[in-house]
Amino acid sequence: MQEIYPGFYHEFKCIANLCEDSCCKDWDIDIDSETEAFYQTVQGPLGDKMRRLLVTDEYDERVFRCTNGRCPFWNSDMLCDIYIGIGEEHLSNTCANFPRVAVDYGNFREHILSFACPEAARFMLKNTRDAYADFGGERELGLSDESGDYMSFLLKARERTLDFLLNPDEPFAYRLADCLEFNAQVQSLLDNVEPAPLDLDKAESQGCGFIFDMHQSFEIMSGEWRSALSETAEKAQELKIRDDFAADFEKFALYYVYRYYLEAINSGDVLYSIKRIVCAYLVTGKLDALFYEKGYPYPRMRILQRYSKEVEHSYDNTEALNSAFDTDDRFEVENLIALLEEQI
Ligand code: SF4
C-alpha cells in the first residue's frame, strides 16, 4: 500500500487551548468500540462520568453528546479531562486523529488534514499545489494493472481539473466555470455517452439566493455562523466577491479536490465535488465581501474553516447538496456557469 501525504502533513501539531475553534466544540465525539471497552474499566469519578455520558446516536454510533456547544470533557482551561486523567493513548480514534484524514483507495492511501481545524487551515492556506506533488497521476502512484482504468482515468481528470482551477490567467469564477465544463465532459465519458458541447445559450442564472436559502435550511451548529449567513443572504445578490479572495479560496478548493474528487470511484459522479466547491465559493466569497465592509470581525481563514466545519463535515448537509444536484435544475452545469459568469 502506497501512503501519500501532502508536504506539510507531518509539521502539523495541535495547538490545544490556543485554538480559536476547538474540535471539542460543537461536535458530538465518536467513541470507537476499543476505546469504549477501555472506558468501561476506568475507575473513579472520571470512569463514572464517561459511562454515564456514553450514548448511542441516530446513526447508531457511540458518542459523547456535545452539551451547550462543548464536549463534556473539555474543561474550563480548554483542556481535555480524559487526556489529563488517563493519557493521550486512551483518546478515541476520532480525538487522537483529528484533523488527520486517511482515504483508502485499495492500493494507495491518501492522507490529508481537514480544513475544519484552524491550525490545519493555516498550513493549507500557506501551501501551494507543490505540497501535494506526491498525489500525482497513475505513474507516480505506481498503479498496478489490476487497479483498473477507471481509477487511472479519475487521477488524470483530477490533475486536469486542478490545471483549470489554478489557472492564473483567468478570474476565479471563470476557472470554476471551466472546471464544470471539463467535468461535464468527463462525466459523459464515465457514463459512456458521447460528450456534447454545453448549450450555454439556454442557460439561465437564477441568482445565488437559492444557494443561500439552502445553506440556511441546513443543520447549523453556531449562532455566529447562522447570523453571518442570514445577514449575507439578504444582500447576496449585490455583494461582489473580492478579487483577492481567490488567492485564499483556491487553497480551499485545492484541498477539496484532493479530498473529494476520487469519491467518484464509488458514486460514479465527478460533478458532485465540483458543484460543492461552486456553492462554497459563492457562500464564503459573499460572506467575505460582507466582512470586508465590516472590517473583518471574523478573519477570512475562519470563514473558510467554519464553512468546512458547518457544511463539509456534516454528512446530512453534504447529502442534501448532492441530492439537490440530482434533482434541482438550478444546479445544472449550464445554469451554474451562468451564475458564475454573473459574478465577474
Ligand atoms: S481544531 Fe485543530 S488545533 Fe484546534 S484543538 Fe482541534 S486539532 Fe487542535
Side-chain angles (χ1 to χ4, degrees):
M1 168 85 72
Q2 192 166 354
E3 307 285 348
I4 297 157
Y5 299 89
F8 51 82
Y9 184 92
H10 296 291
E11 287 169 50
F12 170 80
K13 207 167 176 323
C14 169
I15 55 171
N17 56 343
L18 298 177
C19 179
E20 54 272 72
D21 186 4
S22 171
C23 45
C24 309
K25 204 168 153 189
D26 300 325
W27 279 330
D28 293 343
I29 307 293
D30 285 350
I31 306 298
D32 53 283
S33 50
E34 203 179 315
T35 304
E36 174 171 4
F38 183 78
Y39 289 176
Q40 297 296 351
T41 69
V42 174
Q43 302 296 307
L46 180 64
D48 293 342
K49 182 175 173 184
M50 291 196 288
R51 285 183 286 281
R52 184 164 46 81
L53 294 178
L54 260 169
V55 295
T56 304
D57 73 3
E58 59 277 27
Y59 306 104
D60 226 17
E61 302 287 347
R62 297 287 280 161
V63 298
F64 290 137
R65 282 271 188 223
C66 169
T67 312
N68 298 325
R70 302 174 64 92
C71 167
F73 295 93
W74 196 36
N75 67 29
S76 53
D77 295 326
M78 299 208 284
L79 295 170
C80 171
D81 282 336
I82 296 178
Y83 185 110
I84 294 166
I86 53 176
E88 185 178 5
E89 66 277 23
H90 295 303
L91 293 176
S92 69
N93 289 339
T94 299
C95 295
N97 293 334
F98 186 84
R100 299 167 193 87
V101 179
V103 192
D104 194 333
Y105 294 109
N107 47 2
F108 65 98
R109 182 161 37 218
E110 293 186 337
H111 299 260
I112 204 155
L113 299 177
S114 165
F115 225 95
C117 161
E119 183 65 357
R122 273 187 278 274
F123 271 91
M124 285 181 269
L125 287 170
K126 274 192 305 210
N127 279 277
T128 63
R129 188 179 186 178
D130 291 349
Y132 300 85
D134 290 346
F135 284 61
E138 59 177 316
R139 198 168 52 79
E140 291 82 348
L141 293 173
L143 293 180
S144 67
D145 288 346
E146 301 89 67
S147 65
D149 288 337
Y150 200 91
M151 178 54 92
S152 307
F153 177 71
L154 286 180
L155 285 165
K156 284 183 201 135
R158 184 171 72 172
E159 290 304 305
R160 191 76 189 108
T161 297
L162 287 169
D163 294 340
F164 287 117
L165 191 69
L166 303 175
N167 176 1
D169 302 327
E170 292 262 32
F172 198 78
Y174 286 163
R175 298 191 222 166
L176 282 177
D178 290 345
C179 287
L180 284 169
E181 194 166 353
F182 169 68
N183 278 286
Q185 309 270 315
V186 171
Q187 191 59 48
S188 298
L189 293 170
L190 291 177
D191 296 340
N192 288 320
V193 176
E194 185 66 32
L198 296 175
D199 190 356
L200 293 172
D201 292 339
K202 280 205 196 133
E204 260 185 81
S205 164
Q206 307 280 332
C208 56
F210 72 100
I211 294 179
F212 275 89
D213 290 346
M214 209 175 159
H215 280 70
Q216 289 185 94
S217 74
F218 283 165
E219 163 189 82
I220 293 177
M221 295 177 284
S222 129
E224 254 180 333
W225 179 256
R226 183 184 295 283
S227 48
L229 204 52
S230 122
E231 199 181 338
T232 312
E234 279 173 28
K235 304 167 72 178
Q237 206 48 33
E238 67 254 37
L239 283 167
K240 184 168 171 359
I241 299 177
R242 293 177 50 73
D243 291 342
D244 67 351
F245 182 65
D248 291 318
F249 188 82
E250 73 174 20
K251 307 290 178 41
F252 177 82
L254 177 62
Y255 148 81
Y256 208 95
V257 169
Y258 276 125
R259 177 139 186 215
Y260 294 108
Y261 190 87
L262 296 186
E263 274 182 350
I265 199 78
N266 296 316
S267 68
D269 194 315
V270 283
L271 283 163
Y272 281 159
S273 57
I274 307 300
K275 290 181 178 179
R276 294 203 304 266
I277 293 173
V278 172
C279 291
Y281 174 67
L282 292 167
V283 171
T284 58
K286 303 270 179 180
L287 263 161
D288 178 75
L290 181 79
F291 279 25
Y292 171 77
E293 284 177 7
K294 293 165 151 261
Y296 282 112
Y298 205 51
R300 184 177 280 168
M301 176 278 281
R302 292 294 312 284
I303 298 172
L304 296 168
Q305 174 264 328
R306 196 68 213 183
Y307 187 90
S308 169
K309 190 164 178 174
E310 291 278 357
V311 182
E312 177 205 332
H313 274 263
S314 159
Y315 173 81
D316 290 342
N317 294 345
T318 302
E319 279 303 294
L321 282 168
N322 289 348
S323 149
F325 301 157
D326 287 339
T327 55
D328 185 335
D329 291 352
R330 293 173 296 184
F331 287 107
E332 282 191 357
V333 166
E334 292 87 340
N335 294 336
L336 286 179
I337 290 176
L339 177 52
L340 287 165
E341 287 176 345
E342 208 178 73
Q343 308 306 315
I344 303 295

